Each structure stands twice: as C-alpha cells, then as structure tokens.
Amino acid sequence: MRYNYVVVGAGLAGLTIAERIADVCNEKVLVIEKRGHIGGNIYDSYNEDGVLIHNYGPHIFHTNDKGVYDYLSQFTPWNDFWHRVLTQVDGNLIPMPITVETINKLYNLNLSCEEVEEFLKKKAISIDEIKTSKDVALSKVGQDIYEKFFENYTKKQWGIDPGEIDTSIISRIPIRTNRDTRYFSDRYQGMPKYGYTKMCENMIQNKNIKLLLNTDYKEVIDDIEYEKLIYTGPTDYFYDYKYGKLAYRSINFVFETHDKEDYQPAPVVNYPNDYDYTRITEFKKLTYQEHKKTTILKEFPCDEGEPYYPFPTKEWKEKFSLYQEDMMKEKKVLFLGRLAEYRYYNMDAVVRSALNLFEGGING
C-alpha cells in the first residue's frame, strides 16, 4: 500500500487533519484506528435501551474560536446548549463554578456582585508565588471554599494532593463575581444535533479517506509506503517506552439506566466530598432526547486503563521533554493531539491545533 499521508488515530485531531488533507489537498489519506469506532473519546452511541450516551464521559462543545466553530459547523447543525453544573456540598446542591449565586447559597447570604468580590478578597490567602493548583484556589477563594469544592475532588480525580499539581488544572475552573451560573462563558456553545459520532462520520465522507479500524498501526505500518505520518496516540508508545511509560489518569465508567424520565436536576452533578466517584452525568439533559427511561454515568478515576488525562506534574512534564527531543528530530512524523503532545486539550483546542498543523506543516 502507498499513501502520501497516514494518520494514526481517528479521534478529533486525526479526523480533522485527515479531512483537510483529503478535501483541500485532494490527497489520499489512510486513517488507522485501534478501536472499533471513529471519534476517539467524543464517540457517542445508543445503548441497549435506546438512550444516546457519551461512551467516554460527557463532552460539551464550547469555544471562542470562530474559525473552529465554523469549521465543525460544516459537519453538523447544533442544538443550543448552555452547560450548568451543580456540586453537592454539605448536603446541598450548589451552582458550580464559583459565582455570586454559589457564595450566597453556600453561606446563606444575599450579597450583591460587588459585595461578593469583597467577600472573596477577605477569604483569599496571600501567596507570594503561585506554583500549584492548590495555590491558585487558596489565593482566589481561601481555605474554606478550597476544602469544600476543590481539595477532595482534585484528590479523587488525580490521586494526589492539589499541592503537587501544576496551576493548569484548577485554572481551568472559572471563578466569577457575577450571577452567571453557566459552566462555560464562551461565545459558541452547543451539542451536535445528531450526536458527535454523526459529526465525525460527516468529516470523513471524502473518498480520498481510507479508514482501517481495530488495528494497531504497528502491525501494518511496515507494509505501507508514505511521505508523512501524523501520529495522535501516546508518544511513549510510539517510541516503545524508551524513556519509560508516561503517567496518565484513567476513568472507570459505570453506566446505569433507570426506569424513570428524570434522575437529577442538572446535566452534571459533582461530588467532591461524598462517594468514590467524582460526578454523575445524566445524558438526556445534554442531548435533549425524549425517552421514558434515563441513563446516568458515574466516573471513578483510576491509574490503570485507557490513557485519558496526561499527568499535570513537573516530574512527568520533565519526562515527556525527553521524548520531545526525539520528536523534534523526526522528518516524516508529525505529532498531534492530547496524547501525542501530552497536553490537557479541550475539544476546540484539539481542532485548532490540527488546523494550524495543516496550514503550517502540510499545506503551508
């Protein structure tokens, strides 16, 4: 077999770069995927009860990048969706992220936006140098809110203390001094009207794209002639773990279908201090599907399993830097995506990275 371009991985990064090469360059592309489906972790499907679920946890599209939004809008219409999350604290369901409504409900107050700003300033702890996620939270909301909302949730999610995790993790969670209880404030937000899998299928309709599922690329790559390989899998696997395995956090997903139409008052409810799971998602509240039953998902973070989250500590970033040195020497290989770049990307950032790589490294 001969292809000018081979893409390893049929997740959002791989599909975006494959679509651009096939459509813009009119080149033939082979996409090799080890799983039995496309879409990577945004894959969704109908379960045996006919409820549309996100098989690898909830994915909500949001971005301020109009280019990314316009690009994906070629492949799907959108349902308007503004994500809202509740967190169980002290037996009560409190809006998340931290807003005026959160503070008032948590402390049984009736503060204005200006008063909440002053309230948080008094709670905040002065820290000379912000080095960790714990420092970020303490410097913005103080000890009590940190303990109620962030400390135990982060410990469950990552298996280590927030004081060992770099600033990128808690910095992802907004803290507002207004009444906006939406989880994201991005200009463009929504859910693909017919699901993520349908969107992904539309991305690879071009006849120039050949898809090979249920295949580890190492089993076939020696039989393929190619000019460029775009790799979206784990970098340590690409290099046969020559510097050792990189640390990833995985999740054990436990689905439950209940014989009732409604399970909880929000699409996602976080449990920072109760239970071993971090959150419960009710999918019908994401998809607007009407069904007599409802399916929920409980997430139990763990060390073993599919690599979902690159480990956000200095130690593991330094180990990845050893691989980076080898990556920069590659002449026929381009690395793309969360696993290959060992970065905690949102969906829009994955697409933007792929579009930039195409414009700068392939079509440039």
Side-chain angles (χ1 to χ4, degrees):
M1 291 188 291
R2 192 185 192 291
Y3 290 87
N4 281 352
Y5 297 93
V6 174
V7 176
V8 176
L12 196 52
L15 296 183
T16 299
I17 200 77
E19 186 280 329
R20 290 288 79 192
I21 293 169
D23 188 63
V24 177
C25 301
N26 196 28
E27 295 274 8
K28 292 190 181 299
V29 188
L30 175 65
V31 180
I32 305 172
E33 169 56 50
K34 71 172 184 177
R35 291 173 175 170
H37 60 75
I38 63 171
N41 293 339
I42 66 171
Y43 173 71
D44 53 18
S45 67
Y46 289 90
N47 66 12
E48 60 185 11
D49 294 291
V51 179
L52 181 61
I53 62 170
H54 294 184
N55 297 62
Y56 302 96
H59 286 80
I60 295 91
F61 179 76
H62 59 99
T63 188
N64 284 315
D65 188 329
K66 187 176 187 300
V68 167
Y69 178 75
D70 289 344
Y71 172 74
L72 292 179
S73 295
Q74 298 176 86
F75 311 109
T76 183
W78 301 92
N79 283 333
D80 289 336
F81 179 80
W82 305 98
H83 190 40
R84 299 184 192 276
V85 175
L86 296 175
T87 296
Q88 181 164 293
V89 175
D90 297 337
N92 297 308
L93 292 177
I94 311 291
M96 186 69 184
I98 306 298
T99 67
V100 171
E101 303 300 330
T102 309
I103 299 302
N104 283 336
K105 187 159 187 179
L106 182 65
Y107 293 107
N108 195 27
L109 300 171
N110 189 27
L111 302 178
S112 67
C113 295
E114 293 77 13
E115 288 170 332
V116 164
E117 188 171 356
E118 287 302 312
F119 178 88
L120 289 177
K121 283 181 181 178
K122 291 177 181 177
K123 288 276 188 183
I125 296 172
S126 178
I127 297 175
D128 293 334
E129 186 177 1
I130 306 295
K131 294 181 178 180
T132 69
S133 280
K134 181 176 182 178
D135 295 339
V136 172
L138 291 176
S139 67
K140 290 185 176 181
V141 298
Q143 188 72 34
D144 189 50
I145 295 174
Y146 164 72
E147 290 178 356
K148 290 181 184 298
F149 285 88
F150 298 109
E151 183 175 39
N152 291 325
Y153 189 96
T154 307
K155 285 180 179 178
K156 282 195 285 185
Q157 181 69 24
W158 296 102
I160 58 176
D161 190 272
E164 299 177 60
I165 297 174
D166 72 32
T167 59
S168 64
I169 299 303
I170 286 184
S171 295
R172 292 166 59 90
I173 303 171
I175 295 169
R176 308 184 186 120
T177 54
N178 58 30
R179 298 183 184 277
D180 184 359
T181 59
R182 296 174 302 166
Y183 197 79
F184 308 112
S185 59
D186 302 67
R187 181 174 180 83
Y188 305 101
Q189 300 187 39
M191 300 290 289
K193 186 173 182 179
Y194 305 108
Y196 284 105
T197 298
K198 184 62 177 176
M199 179 186 79
C200 291
E201 290 172 350
N202 291 337
M203 292 175 73
I204 55 170
Q205 287 299 306
N206 194 304
K207 293 180 179 179
N208 284 331
I209 298 175
K210 169 73 173 176
L211 180 64
L212 194 58
L213 295 176
N214 295 306
T215 304
D216 185 326
Y217 86 101
K218 289 187 178 183
E219 298 172 359
V220 298
I221 198 65
D222 290 341
D223 298 321
I224 303 170
E225 292 182 48
Y226 59 88
E227 297 296 323
K228 286 285 185 184
L229 179 76
I230 298 103
Y231 181 79
T232 70
T235 300
D236 54 357
Y237 180 68
F238 180 86
Y239 285 108
D240 297 316
Y241 310 110
K242 65 186 291 187
Y243 302 115
K245 281 192 174 185
L246 295 170
Y248 293 92
R249 195 69 169 156
S250 189
I251 297 175
N252 179 26
F253 297 113
V254 177
F255 294 88
E256 299 175 1
T257 297
H258 295 263
D259 196 11
K260 56 183 179 180
E261 292 192 15
D262 184 76
Y263 183 85
Q264 62 188 23
V268 174
V269 176
N270 290 344
Y271 292 88
N273 307 308
D274 305 297
Y275 312 112
D276 290 335
Y277 48 82
T278 52
R279 60 184 178 178
I280 296 178
T281 299
E282 185 174 9
F283 292 104
K284 283 168 54 180
K285 289 184 168 62
L286 299 176
T287 63
Y288 299 149
Q289 182 184 7
E290 294 184 5
H291 198 287
K292 291 182 179 179
K293 295 183 179 182
T294 191
T295 298
I296 65 167
L297 169 64
K298 296 176 180 178
E299 296 181 38
F300 296 81
C302 54
D303 289 323
E304 300 299 321
E306 284 286 326
Y308 294 123
Y309 302 104
F311 221 74
T313 64
K314 182 180 179 182
E315 173 193 356
W316 291 107
K317 286 186 175 182
E318 287 176 351
K319 178 163 277 194
F320 176 65
S321 69
L322 299 175
Y323 286 109
Q324 276 184 305
E325 292 180 18
D326 286 354
M327 292 162 65
M328 290 186 289
K329 297 173 185 175
E330 299 286 349
K331 293 193 172 13
K332 293 181 65 175
V333 183
L334 299 170
F335 295 88
L336 174 67
R338 178 185 282 199
L339 296 178
E341 299 177 60
Y342 206 62
R343 292 184 61 182
Y344 193 168
Y345 274 133
N346 284 334
M347 281 186 287
D348 64 327
V350 167
V351 175
R352 171 48 61 198
S353 181
L355 294 175
N356 289 347
L357 178 64
F358 173 73
E359 291 298 339
I362 294 173
N363 197 44

